Amino acid sequence: MGGIEFLKGHGTQNDFVLLPDPAGRLELTGARVAALCDRRRGLGADGVLRVVRAAALDEPSAGEWFMDYRNADGSIAEMCGNGVRVFARYLVDAGLAAEGEFAVGTRAGDRPVVVHPDRTVTVHMGPATITGTSVTVVAGRPFSGVAVDVGNPHLVSLLDDDVAELDLRDQPDFDHDVFPHGVNLEFVNRLGAGALRMRVHERGVGETRACGTGTVAAVAAAFHLAGTDTGASTVDIPGGRVEVTVSRGASTLSGPAEIVARGELDEAWWAAAGS
């Protein structure tokens, strides 16, 4: 058909449009990303993953492939844990990487991944660093939280109230002096030893069914509040369940990755979306 190749995938229902672009030739503007992610005028997604060789973007990476990640509003983001899993699964399915362990380049640095035989993926997420505390406000109600850096910024609020009752349709307020570039907001319940439930309002997207870096931040914050920096936990999000480990200076995220569709974008639509 001669159009622009795309795939659609998700990790625990955090969904993405993948654009294979090994040589980095696509003009991926913010307007085009926003149009692609729009669920009425585009394909619909929480973000776009451009599959590009690190050398094509002159990005420093030990791996061959770089995940050029964009939020649904067209803004550039540093990292996406669910996105890395989907990205890695695509590379293996497409024959661009071998099953097992390899590195994926991101703006937050290289992320070693392991694609397992069942196509679940484990991502070595790097450190989850506690950076302080702050407050978010949901529908006029303030919640204190723990600030966590997982290569991108998070504020995690552990609640006694059921997180299912929160109204996250609108952007919760936060301290813009603490988070000048925005922040991902996680709201968490403890379910028991080694088990959490979470909802998330993602920077540049809104509420999503899952957030990979957010689950790591949630586990790091929960253990921090319990007086430790090491442990493992499941995290239930609306889109499913993942497994997270944290330790001093390191963390891992394990969960499913699915490719659900592929096709070609109409070139006339692509041209119009960029204007």
Side-chain angles (χ1 to χ4, degrees):
M1 289 185 290
I4 296 164
E5 183 184 4
F6 78 88
L7 298 93
K8 183 76 184 288
H10 74 90
T12 50
Q13 298 180 28
N14 192 189
D15 61 337
F16 309 95
V17 173
L18 293 90
L19 297 175
D21 183 27
R25 292 174 178 156
L26 288 178
E27 187 180 356
L28 192 59
T29 64
R32 285 194 173 113
V33 170
L36 277 172
C37 293
D38 190 290
R39 298 187 186 276
R40 292 177 176 83
R41 65 189 179 108
L43 295 173
D46 294 326
V48 169
L49 309 173
R50 180 162 64 143
V51 184
V52 60
R53 286 191 168 88
L57 295 185
D58 199 25
E59 290 283 353
S61 174
E64 180 179 2
W65 297 98
F66 184 84
M67 184 181 75
D68 179 13
Y69 177 61
R70 313 297 178 95
N71 291 319
D73 66 354
S75 60
I76 293 173
E78 303 91 343
M79 239 302 275
C80 177
N82 292 322
V84 170
R85 296 204 315 277
V86 175
F87 188 95
R89 161 114 194 221
Y90 165 74
L91 291 179
V92 171
D93 285 358
L96 300 175
E99 183 181 290
E101 185 169 0
F102 54 91
V104 172
T106 79
R107 291 186 178 86
D110 283 352
R111 292 294 183 263
V113 301
V114 180
V115 179
H116 303 288
D118 65 356
R119 293 301 189 260
T120 61
V121 181
T122 297
V123 184
H124 295 269
M125 298 286 287
T129 305
I130 307 298
T131 60
T133 60
S134 190
V135 174
T136 184
V137 180
V138 179
R141 185 178 176 188
F143 295 102
S144 60
V146 176
V148 188
D149 187 329
V150 193
N152 57 358
H154 296 265
L155 183 66
V156 181
S157 299
L158 269 76
L159 310 182
D160 293 327
D161 296 352
D162 188 344
V163 295
E165 301 301 319
L166 291 176
D167 184 352
L168 297 180
R169 288 174 294 181
D170 296 326
Q171 169 70 58
D173 199 8
F174 59 89
D175 189 332
H176 292 259
D177 290 333
V178 176
F179 303 106
H181 304 295
V183 63
N184 302 287
L185 299 165
E186 286 79 33
F187 303 91
V188 180
N189 292 143
R190 295 184 191 272
L191 300 180
L196 302 174
R197 176 190 296 122
M198 184 187 92
R199 288 176 66 194
V200 58
H201 194 285
E202 286 197 61
R203 175 183 61 167
V205 185
E207 184 177 9
T208 59
R209 303 283 292 172
C211 173
T213 55
T215 59
V216 173
V219 173
F223 280 115
H224 172 75
L225 292 172
T228 184
D229 59 7
T230 301
S233 180
T234 60
V235 184
D236 289 341
I237 53 271
R241 173 177 288 179
V242 295
E243 298 176 357
V244 174
T245 68
V246 295
S247 60
R248 188 168 299 178
S251 62
T252 66
L253 167 67
S254 298
E258 303 288 345
I259 303 296
V260 300
R262 65 185 67 230
E264 292 186 349
L265 297 167
D266 182 81
E267 290 189 341
W269 181 91
W270 177 263
S275 60

